C-alpha cells in the first residue's frame, strides 16, 4: 500500500457530524421452527465519529446479526439504531460492510469492482473515475486496476473489497472478520493499513473479530458479548494503550503495541470476560 496516505478530496465530505452511531434498547428475535429465539437482547452502544470499536464474543452471540442490523440488511427489530441522529431504515451509501470473503465479481476487473461502490452515487463520471483510481492507490493496488480477481492473491482481493467499501465514503465502515481468511503476515499488514486509512479519512469503524489481539491492536474500545441471548457483557477501553512503533516513528494510524505489558493485561481482561460467558452454572451437590 502507499507509504504515505493523504486524505482524498471526496465530494461526500461536506457533512459536519459524521459517523456517530447510537444504538438503544436493540433487541432482535428470530423464529426458528416456529419458536421465538432472541439473538440480541437490549443492546446499547454509542460510537463517536472516527472511533474504532472492536466486538468479540463466542460463536452465535449475535455479532454478525448486529452488523447486519446496522448496515440495514435486517429491518425488523425492537429499539433504535441512529446514525448521525437519523434512524437506519435499510441499506444506504452512508454505511459499508466488508466480509471475511472478498465477494468480488470474478468477471469484473479490480477497478470495475471498486466502481460498483459508486453505482448509486450521483457524482459526475469523471469524479467517479478519479475516486476509483485514488481508492485503488489508497490500498496499494494502483498497478492492478485492470486485473481480475483470479489474478490477485487473497490479501489483494480483500484490499479491493476495502477500496470498494470506502469509495462512496461511508460514515461508518463495518468489518465482519475481514482478515479471518488471510495468512498471519498479510493479516498484520492489512490491520495496520486499514487503521491508517480510517484514521486519515476520519471514518468510524466497527470490527467483529474472533482474534482478541486484533481487537485490542485496532480498537479504541473492545465490546465483549455473551451468548444466549446475545448481549453486551462489558466494554474495555483500549484507547490509552501505547502505540506500536513503525521504523521508530510512532504516530496516528499505528495500532497498539502488542508487546506492551498494559496490552497484555487488557488481553487477559478481555479473555476473562469472554470466559465468563462460557462459565457453566455450578453443579448441584448431591443431597
Ligand atoms: N436468519 C436467521 N434466522 C434464524 N436465526 C438466525 C438467523 N441469523 C442468525 N440467527 C441466529 O442468531 C444467532 C446469532 O447469529 P450470528 O451469526 O449473529 O452470531 P455470531 O456471533 O456472528 O457467530 P459467529 O461468530 O459464529 O459468526 C445464532 O444463534 C444464529 O443461529
Amino acid at each position: 500500500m502507499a507509504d504515505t496516505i493523504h486524505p482524498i478530496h471526496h465530494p461526500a465530505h461536506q457533512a459536519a457530524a459524521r459517523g456517530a452511531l447510537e444504538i438503544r434498547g436493540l433487541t432482535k428475535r428470530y423464529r426458528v421452527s416456529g419458536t421465538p429465539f432472541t439473538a440480541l437482547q437490549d443492546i446499547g452502544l454509542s460510537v463517536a465519529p472516527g472511533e474504532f470499536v472492536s466486538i468479540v464474543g463466542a460463536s452465535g452471540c449475535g455479532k454478525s446479526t448486529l452488523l447486519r442490523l446496522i448496515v440495514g440488511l435486517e429491518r425488523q427489530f425492537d429499539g433504535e439504531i441512529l446514525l448521525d441522529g437519523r434512524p437506519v431504515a435499510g441499506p444506504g451509501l452512508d454505511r459499508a460492510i466488508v466480509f471475511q470473503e472478498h465477494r468480488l465479481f470474478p468477471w469484473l476487473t479490480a477497478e470495475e469492482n471498486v466502481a460498483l461502490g459508486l453505482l448509486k452515487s450521483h457524482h459526475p463520471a469523471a469524479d467517479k473515475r478519479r475516486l476509483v483510481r485514488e481508492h485503488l492507490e489508497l490500498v496499494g493496488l494502483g498497478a492492478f486496476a485492470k486485473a481480475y480477481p483470479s489474478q490477485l492473491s487473497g490479501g489483494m482481493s480483500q484490499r479491493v473489497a476495502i477500496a470498494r467499501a470506502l469509495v462512496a465514503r461511508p460514515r461508518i465502515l463495518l468489518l465482519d472478520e475481514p482478515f479471518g481468511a488471510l495468512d498471519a503476515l498479510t493479516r498484520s499488514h492489512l490491520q495496520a493499513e486499514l487503521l491508517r486509512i480510517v484514521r486519515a479519512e476520519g471514518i468510524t469503524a466497527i470490527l467483529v473479530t474472533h482474534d482478541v489481539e486484533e481487537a485490542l491492536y485496532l480498537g479504541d474500545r473492545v465490546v465483549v458479548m455473551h451468548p444466549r441471548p446475545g448481549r453486551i457483557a462489558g466494554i474495555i477501553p483500549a484507547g490509552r494503550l501505547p502505540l506500536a512503533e513503525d521504523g521508530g516513528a510512532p504516530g496516528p494510524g499505528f495500532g497498539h503495541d502488542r508487546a506492551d505489558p498494559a496490552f497484555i493485561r487488557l488481553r487477559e481482561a478481555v479473555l476473562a470476560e469472554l470466559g465468563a460467558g462460557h462459565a457453566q452454572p455450578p453443579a448441584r451437590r448431591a443431597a
Side-chain angles (χ1 to χ4, degrees):
M1 288 194 190
D3 285 342
T4 314
I5 292 176
H6 303 288
I8 290 176
H9 169 70
H10 201 294
H13 249 147
Q14 286 92 11
R18 292 182 52 85
L21 180 73
E22 187 71 36
I23 298 174
R24 296 187 199 129
L26 173 63
T27 294
K28 172 69 187 171
R29 293 184 190 86
Y30 291 112
R31 286 195 88 77
V32 181
S33 311
T35 310
F37 166 78
T38 304
L40 290 172
Q41 183 165 284
D42 198 21
I43 302 290
L45 182 67
S46 298
V47 182
E51 193 182 10
F52 199 120
V53 169
S54 303
I55 302 179
V56 294
S59 186
C61 71
K63 305 179 296 295
S64 298
T65 302
L66 181 58
L67 290 196
R68 282 205 308 276
L69 285 159
I70 298 169
V71 90
L73 295 172
E74 302 258 5
R75 298 181 194 210
Q76 300 218 320
F77 58 89
D78 293 325
E80 282 184 302
I81 306 175
L82 304 168
L83 185 58
D84 292 328
R86 290 215 305 274
V88 164
L93 286 175
D94 53 359
R95 285 148 292 140
I97 188 161
V98 176
F99 298 97
Q100 181 168 341
E101 344 62 81
H102 53 71
R103 302 193 185 191
L104 301 180
F105 289 104
W107 57 87
L108 298 180
T109 62
E111 65 181 1
E112 288 166 343
N113 268 289
V114 174
L116 285 180
L118 290 172
L119 209 57
K120 291 189 178 157
S121 78
H122 300 294
H123 308 312
D127 273 359
K128 287 189 180 183
R129 281 195 297 277
R130 176 179 62 78
L131 288 170
V132 168
R133 197 178 58 245
E134 288 180 354
H135 281 79
L136 275 171
E137 278 162 15
L138 189 69
V139 298
L141 290 178
F144 291 85
K146 305 288 180 201
Y148 287 90
S150 62
Q151 298 169 313
L152 302 173
S153 70
M156 291 160 89
S157 298
Q158 199 58 316
R159 287 175 181 198
V160 176
I162 291 170
R164 180 179 59 186
L166 291 176
V167 72
R169 189 51 78 250
R171 289 167 187 240
I172 188 162
L173 177 65
L174 305 160
L175 302 138
D176 197 350
E177 295 187 56
F179 309 130
L182 304 176
D183 66 87
L185 195 61
T186 308
R187 187 182 179 116
S188 82
H189 279 311
L190 274 186
Q191 286 168 349
E193 295 301 340
L194 171 75
L195 201 53
R196 281 206 230 192
I197 292 169
V198 296
R199 292 279 191 246
E201 302 294 319
I203 297 169
T204 310
I206 301 186
L207 166 82
V208 160
T209 178
H210 282 286
D211 180 341
V212 171
E213 279 214 9
E214 178 173 277
L216 279 170
Y217 172 79
L218 293 169
D220 296 310
R221 287 185 294 158
V222 178
V223 174
V224 181
M225 292 183 66
H226 283 178
R228 293 179 299 278
R231 61 200 187 278
I232 293 180
I235 300 183
I236 294 182
R240 286 174 183 259
L241 286 174
L243 294 175
E245 293 193 8
D246 186 58
F254 297 102
H256 300 127
D257 182 358
R258 293 174 169 94
D260 190 273
F263 185 102
I264 294 165
R265 278 198 298 277
L266 271 197
R267 190 185 63 199
E268 296 309 312
V270 174
L271 286 169
E273 190 69 68
L274 276 173
H278 283 290
Q280 298 297 313
R284 280 207 295 172
R285 282 194 201 143

